[in-house]
Amino acid sequence: MLLGGLAWFFVIQPARAFLAGWQAPPAQTQSQGGSGAGVPAPSGKVNAALTQQDVRRFVRVRRDVRQALGSSFTGVQQVWTDIQGGQNPNVLQVMTVLRDVGGSVNAARQAQAQGLAREGMSAERYAAVRAGVNRALGLPNIDFAQAARALQSGQVPDLNRDVQTGTAQERALVQPFQQELTETVALGLLGL
């Protein structure tokens, strides 16, 4: 009974609060110029091959997101380091990280939406570019946002992801930003 009560207050309640607040970026946000421009709708081939322009736009949006996340990024980085070390996080670790960054995620999502609007990039294209960047860096494409949605629907999230090798073109496009992207790759865990 005591163990159940502790689990309720220290794991389940914080997890429920986080999942209730876990929402995708708003469909429309105010741009810095105040024109009311929102995140562009997907157009063209969302899953087209990476271009140099895509990678540069991705890096600029990623910088905005990293800055908005602030100091809560440290916990996400630690989980990422563990994953890189061969450890798969358990559901409790995922929930702890999600709880810790819960308040900052909304600010980071707003920064992402504003960055996407500024760069003229749809959220779908951003996700496709993120997957390409992860391939180029030789990283698995793990997304805690998907894990949160699975938990919210009562399913156990699948956190085992295979590493897909990037093409030579993808690796060449990412190479100038490799160090910066490697340092911020943990943002992808949050779907950012």
Side-chain angles (χ1 to χ4, degrees):
M1 183 79 114
L2 178 64
L3 187 58
L6 290 173
W8 175 261
F9 286 107
F10 292 107
V11 178
I12 296 172
Q13 282 298 91
R16 289 179 69 197
F18 173 81
L19 291 174
W22 187 274
Q23 296 181 11
Q28 292 213 344
T29 61
Q30 291 291 325
S31 68
Q32 290 176 346
S35 66
V39 175
S43 62
K45 292 180 72 180
V46 171
N47 293 317
L50 285 182
T51 66
Q52 188 175 31
Q53 181 184 12
D54 287 333
V55 174
R56 287 183 177 162
R57 293 186 313 178
F58 177 82
V59 168
R60 287 189 295 264
V61 173
R62 177 65 60 91
R63 287 173 184 157
D64 294 345
V65 170
R66 168 64 180 99
Q67 184 177 6
L69 200 53
S71 63
S72 62
F73 182 61
T74 307
V76 179
Q77 277 183 311
Q78 183 57 50
V79 169
W80 180 250
T81 302
D82 292 347
I83 290 170
Q84 287 298 100
Q87 300 175 10
N88 281 329
N90 61 41
V91 173
L92 182 59
Q93 288 172 309
V94 171
M95 294 309 298
T96 300
V97 168
L98 294 177
R99 182 193 67 217
D100 292 345
V101 301
S104 301
V105 167
N106 287 335
R109 287 193 181 280
Q110 280 196 321
Q112 182 184 44
Q114 290 171 349
L116 291 174
R118 181 190 68 235
E119 298 296 331
M121 188 179 214
S122 72
E124 291 78 6
R125 181 61 182 158
Y126 181 83
V129 172
R130 182 180 64 227
V133 166
N134 285 350
R135 283 192 306 272
L137 294 172
L139 303 170
N141 199 19
I142 298 173
D143 185 342
F144 280 4
Q146 291 175 347
R149 285 190 290 275
L151 288 169
Q152 195 169 21
S153 65
Q155 300 172 350
V156 175
D158 178 17
L159 298 175
N160 294 320
R161 297 283 190 243
D162 295 328
V163 175
Q164 298 176 350
T165 305
T167 65
Q169 178 187 3
E170 288 173 332
R171 289 191 303 271
L173 291 170
V174 168
Q175 195 280 327
F177 305 101
Q178 185 167 352
Q179 181 178 349
E180 179 179 1
L181 289 169
T182 301
E183 291 171 0
T184 62
V185 74
L187 292 172
L189 293 174
L190 300 173
L192 300 168

